[in-house]
Amino acid sequence: MTASTTPRPTAARSRLAAVGAIAVAGALLLTGCGDQTKKSGGDRASSSKAPLHDKLPQRIQDAGVVKVGSDIAYPPVEFKKEGTTVGLDPDIAAAIGKQLGVEFQFNNATFDTLLAGLRSKRYDVAMSAMTDNKDRQTGVDPDTKKKVGEGVDFVDYFSAGVSIYTPKGKTQGIKGWDDLCGKKIVVQRGTVSHDKAKDQSKKCGSNPIKIEAFDDDVQAQTRLRGGGADAGSSDFPVAAYAVKTSGGGKDFEMVGDQIQAAPYGMALSKDQTQLRDAIKAGLDAIIKNGEYQKILDKWGVSAGALKEAKVNGGAGA
């Protein structure tokens, strides 16, 4: 998610009405073949033959699993459909998992707790449309600019900016951020959209933006759809998906252009360099063999494709 280092993704994922009120409680698991049972000896032998298996840390090889923390309510990046975790991120993770010979298990959490989950070793990776930026890399709070943690490393896998959308046919002359002064916007808490709205409101002087922030993007969209705000903002892929699918395309419309394009990254603790490099190698492999492009085409987000995996490629917010 264009999101920030503060409780949830400075991001650009920086999270749809298409799935209604998505209830995502508990741990949601994703595997390439849907089997959550413990691997048999034959399965382990098969995993060890994966082309990049030996690049993994021994503990991951032994476990056969990479634990992923994710806010699974952000279509089309990650969301729950008929009891299964689906979306851009799960598909990319599963493809990388095939190269490494391990499962990527997706576990649901609120966005603003994901980096803490990395620090506590609850997750090996945080993958949730999280924007790679310098503040997150260095553990700096984007609002106070004070050091709040050791920071994380990112393996960048996609590029996205943030967009504004309004109720369909009710744009009220909104064409960009400068037109939001005096109006009400809904966003997901801790995202780049949230940060952008706060920054823009300061520029409005005596006519600030009224900002209502929610735990997830679905709640924000529900509020806008019900007439409780003038506009919403999300990462471009999420906003575009909402415009296309909510109410059969009759609920929202996009206004203006996306801004602040930045990479989404898989976040890892600074001490997990071997796992980081293995994941980067897996991502480079699926970019090279064409599977990565097929996944992006499937979700209609090919405009955000990267030509190669990068570590910490995000610039300052």
Side-chain angles (χ1 to χ4, degrees):
M1 290 155 199
T2 295
S4 65
T5 349
T6 55
R8 191 199 214 278
T10 296
R13 99 206 162 293
S14 320
R15 281 175 184 315
L16 271 176
V19 291
I22 300 177
V24 283
L28 304 176
L29 304 180
L30 172 74
T31 66
C33 47
D35 181 9
Q36 300 296 338
T37 59
K38 188 175 181 179
K39 292 190 175 190
S40 66
D43 291 331
R44 288 186 179 279
S46 176
S47 294
S48 68
K49 294 178 182 178
L52 301 175
H53 187 71
D54 290 344
K55 288 185 174 292
L56 289 166
Q58 190 62 50
R59 69 174 183 84
I60 299 293
Q61 293 185 32
D62 292 343
V65 167
V66 174
K67 293 179 290 184
V68 181
S70 186
D71 185 349
I72 308 173
Y74 207 52
V77 185
E78 55 258 318
F79 61 105
K80 188 179 179 183
K81 183 177 182 180
E82 298 178 354
T84 301
T85 302
V86 298
L88 173 68
D89 282 2
D91 282 357
I92 289 176
I96 293 172
K98 291 177 184 178
Q99 296 294 319
L100 299 175
V102 294
E103 301 174 7
F104 278 68
Q105 284 186 354
F106 274 66
N107 302 273
N108 189 52
T110 56
F111 188 82
D112 58 4
T113 66
L114 295 179
L115 296 185
L118 283 181
R119 290 193 293 270
S120 67
K121 308 299 183 184
R122 182 177 182 183
Y123 315 121
D124 300 306
V125 176
M127 188 178 189
S128 192
M130 184 177 290
T131 301
D132 171 9
N133 58 51
K134 294 298 182 184
D135 285 344
R136 288 199 175 105
Q137 291 172 23
T138 57
V140 170
D141 184 301
D143 292 326
T144 65
K145 297 304 177 183
K146 293 181 179 179
K147 185 86 169 175
V148 294
E150 64 180 5
V152 295
D153 283 339
F154 287 97
V155 178
D156 299 337
Y157 63 94
F158 187 71
S159 179
V162 292
S163 296
I164 301 170
Y165 56 98
T166 69
K168 195 158 190 175
K170 298 180 180 179
T171 65
Q172 301 183 67
I174 299 171
K175 297 179 180 179
W177 289 90
D178 291 339
D179 303 316
L180 288 171
C181 295
K183 294 183 170 60
K184 185 175 182 179
I185 190 171
V186 289
V187 295
Q188 181 174 0
R189 186 175 294 107
T191 62
V192 164
S193 290
H194 192 187
D195 290 341
K196 176 61 179 176
K198 289 186 288 186
D199 289 343
Q200 186 67 39
S201 185
K202 294 175 184 176
K203 301 175 184 178
C204 294
S206 61
N207 194 28
I209 300 171
K210 301 176 184 68
I211 304 167
E212 191 169 0
F214 295 85
D215 286 341
D216 62 54
D217 211 65
V218 173
Q219 295 172 359
Q221 290 176 26
T222 299
R223 180 71 163 165
L224 180 61
R225 192 166 53 248
D230 301 303
S233 179
S234 305
D235 288 2
F236 172 74
V238 178
Y241 188 83
V243 167
K244 179 181 179 180
T245 61
S246 181
K250 297 178 180 179
D251 289 341
F252 305 127
E253 65 179 278
M254 199 87 76
V255 294
D257 299 322
Q258 65 171 313
I259 63 168
Q260 296 181 227
Y264 286 174
M266 290 172 268
L268 300 93
S269 296
K270 292 283 189 182
D271 60 356
Q272 297 300 313
T273 55
Q274 186 177 357
L275 178 57
R276 178 200 69 194
D277 293 346
I279 290 174
K280 179 183 181 299
L283 178 57
D284 275 327
I286 65 171
I287 291 174
K288 185 176 181 180
N289 69 20
E291 190 167 2
Y292 170 81
Q293 189 61 54
K294 290 178 181 178
I295 292 169
L296 269 58
D297 290 344
K298 170 185 173 181
W299 293 105
V301 294
S302 58
L306 298 183
K307 294 182 179 180
E308 62 178 351
K310 291 186 178 180
V311 172
N312 296 333

